[in-house]
Amino acid sequence: MPVYVALLRAVNVGGTGALPMAELKAICERLSFTNVETYIQSGNVLFRSDETEATVERRLDEALAQKFGRKPGVMIRSRKELQKIVDEAPFPDAKPNFLLVTFLPEAAPKGALDNMVAPDGEEAKVAGREIYVHYPIGSGKSKLKLPALKAGTSRNLNTVRKLAEMAAAMEESG
């Protein structure tokens, strides 16, 4: 049974609203997802399901919409996709907590970086459904403007590595 990682948009960071991870786990279990695990308080959940990625994404987004009154946005990735994101991360000299991966619901549009304003030396690279951004002074202090990021949800490279490790362990456990 496939292992999926769901990354929720705008949960517990001032967007959609607060969602305790125990409640997120319970919602996933009510959807009949199995081996459900959450990671840190920012909307990361791993689980198994026989359903397709698109079906899992739609069902979880709809279930969360019942709680919040609107769909928060759910990005689903497989263990292999997460590992590839980690392995192919650009900006090798960047501190992992200063390199954010923005997960998008679909492939980034052509010209996604065209309107980027990077006054603090930020660098960005598009890779399919992800945009990597290196924030030399940290994302909290950055004045970066990049409209293409709004559709997605971001995690630093340390978090993505941990999620990839957790997904691999879940996959190996059968």
Side-chain angles (χ1 to χ4, degrees), residues 12-165:
N12 298 331
V13 290
T16 302
L19 178 65
M21 293 300 96
E23 188 173 348
L24 175 57
K25 182 177 180 178
I27 288 169
C28 289
E29 289 171 342
R30 282 195 298 273
L31 293 171
S32 299
F33 302 157
T34 59
N35 300 97
V36 180
E37 293 181 43
T38 61
Y39 178 67
I40 63 176
Q41 192 70 28
S42 61
N44 307 302
V45 61
L46 300 87
F47 53 84
R48 291 178 176 276
S49 176
D50 279 329
E51 297 175 316
T52 66
E53 178 180 311
T55 300
V56 165
E57 186 174 282
R58 178 186 50 78
R59 289 185 64 225
L60 182 53
D61 213 15
E62 288 172 356
L64 292 166
Q66 291 178 2
K67 173 172 176 48
F68 295 120
R70 68 180 181 90
K71 294 179 180 180
V74 174
M75 293 2 120
I76 300 288
R77 299 296 187 268
S78 69
R79 181 209 54 85
K80 287 181 182 177
E81 287 174 309
L82 281 181
Q83 191 59 55
K84 182 178 179 190
I85 290 163
V86 169
D87 293 345
E88 296 181 2
F91 317 118
D93 296 330
K95 296 178 187 174
N97 57 324
F98 283 38
L99 177 55
L100 270 62
V101 180
T102 298
F103 296 86
L104 302 170
E106 54 194 31
K110 285 189 179 197
L113 303 181
D114 289 352
N115 296 321
M116 184 168 101
V117 177
D120 300 306
E122 298 88 350
E123 304 171 273
K125 180 181 178 200
V126 173
R129 296 189 296 168
E130 285 75 40
I131 299 176
Y132 296 89
V133 180
H134 172 222
Y135 294 88
I137 64 167
S139 62
K141 297 177 185 176
S142 173
K143 304 281 191 276
L144 174 75
K145 290 185 178 36
L146 183 54
L149 299 177
K150 290 184 182 185
T153 186
S154 299
R155 304 294 186 274
N156 72 42
L157 190 59
N158 285 330
T159 298
V160 178
R161 282 180 179 150
K162 181 64 177 176
L163 290 169
E165 289 171 17

